[in-house]
Amino acid sequence: TWGALVFDNCHYIKVSGNGVDSIHNGFSLRGETAGLAFNSYCSNCEAEFLEIHDNGFFGIVAKKDFSGTPPAPYPQFTNLILHDNYIHHQSEGIYVGETISPGMEFRHVRIFNNVITDCIREAIQVANCVEDIELYNNYCANTGIGGLLYQEGSFQIGDNTVGRYYNNIIMNCPGIAIPLLGSGDIELFENYVANTG
């Protein structure tokens, strides 16, 4: 009930729905809380060609919560790749990193070619992503539609986060399309934004 596929303390994991040429999204996942979760001290994980749908909280989630007091040195999640997934009718589409900082630090993250629609909250939210982060070629539409305060955007670049964010299409959200809360070197360019608050 927590999640359709959940990995705890796992390394070198690839989940792929690309095994049959005639089927674009070869896994269809529904979980009460998460479609796909990389929990605890995971690293080196990839997810591709999945469909995640219908009213879970997270489509894909990768994080461990420390409530602002992680052990020192801060835990690291390195090498996370999420691409070519179709996520729809969820609360949050993709949620990477705890929104409170300091927290587990994410390094070498790629999120691209995902289609995320019809979310109560944001399509994509990243936080504590501190090195070599790129999000590009994602399509995010009809997000933030639950009327929840501070949850009406689409593409949130959260606290303690850097990176390059480009070639994304962001449409139809009642709030700020790209809440930008990060710190450090952030490049935001060549995105298309339409019909947002």
Side-chain angles (χ1 to χ4, degrees):
T1 59
W2 197 93
L5 285 175
V6 179
F7 296 93
D8 283 309
N9 301 311
C10 293
H11 308 280
Y12 303 102
I13 299 294
K14 181 172 182 176
V15 180
S16 177
N18 196 26
V20 177
D21 289 342
S22 62
I23 301 174
H24 189 263
N25 299 103
F27 281 114
S28 179
L29 306 178
R30 277 180 70 179
E32 184 173 307
T33 300
L36 172 65
F38 297 115
N39 288 339
S40 302
Y41 296 96
C42 288
S43 66
N44 297 286
C45 298
E46 180 176 357
E48 64 176 13
F49 298 101
L50 313 176
E51 180 185 10
I52 302 172
H53 57 95
D54 289 316
N55 301 318
F57 192 90
F58 305 109
I60 298 175
V61 58
K63 65 182 183 124
K64 179 172 174 59
D65 291 332
F66 293 99
S67 301
T69 57
Y74 298 154
Q76 307 288 311
F77 192 131
T78 58
N79 301 317
L80 175 65
I81 304 171
L82 307 173
H83 66 96
D84 294 283
N85 300 294
Y86 176 34
I87 301 171
H88 59 97
H89 297 94
Q90 296 289 120
S91 185
E92 295 260 5
I94 293 175
Y95 196 120
V96 174
E98 184 181 12
T99 54
I100 300 171
S101 62
M104 172 180 276
E105 294 183 339
F106 284 76
R107 300 175 187 274
H108 314 298
V109 174
R110 298 291 184 271
I111 300 174
F112 60 94
N113 293 355
N114 299 287
V115 173
I116 305 172
T117 67
D118 302 293
C119 293
I120 293 170
R121 294 174 170 83
E122 293 87 358
I124 300 174
Q125 178 172 304
V126 294
N128 289 302
C129 292
V130 300
E131 180 187 1
D132 186 32
I133 313 301
E134 292 196 20
L135 279 73
Y136 56 94
N137 296 355
N138 298 289
Y139 175 78
C140 306
N142 302 323
T143 63
I145 58 178
L148 304 173
L149 186 63
Y150 307 124
Q151 302 285 322
E152 297 180 315
S154 186
F155 201 97
Q156 182 167 305
I157 301 168
D159 192 28
N160 193 30
T161 294
V162 301
R164 304 177 78 237
Y165 305 84
Y166 56 94
N167 292 355
N168 300 288
I169 297 173
I170 300 166
M171 301 175 63
N172 305 334
C173 71
I176 298 170
I178 307 174
L180 179 53
L181 309 170
S183 57
D185 294 328
I186 296 172
E187 298 179 63
L188 185 65
F189 60 96
E190 294 181 3
N191 299 287
Y192 177 80
V193 178
N195 192 26
T196 72

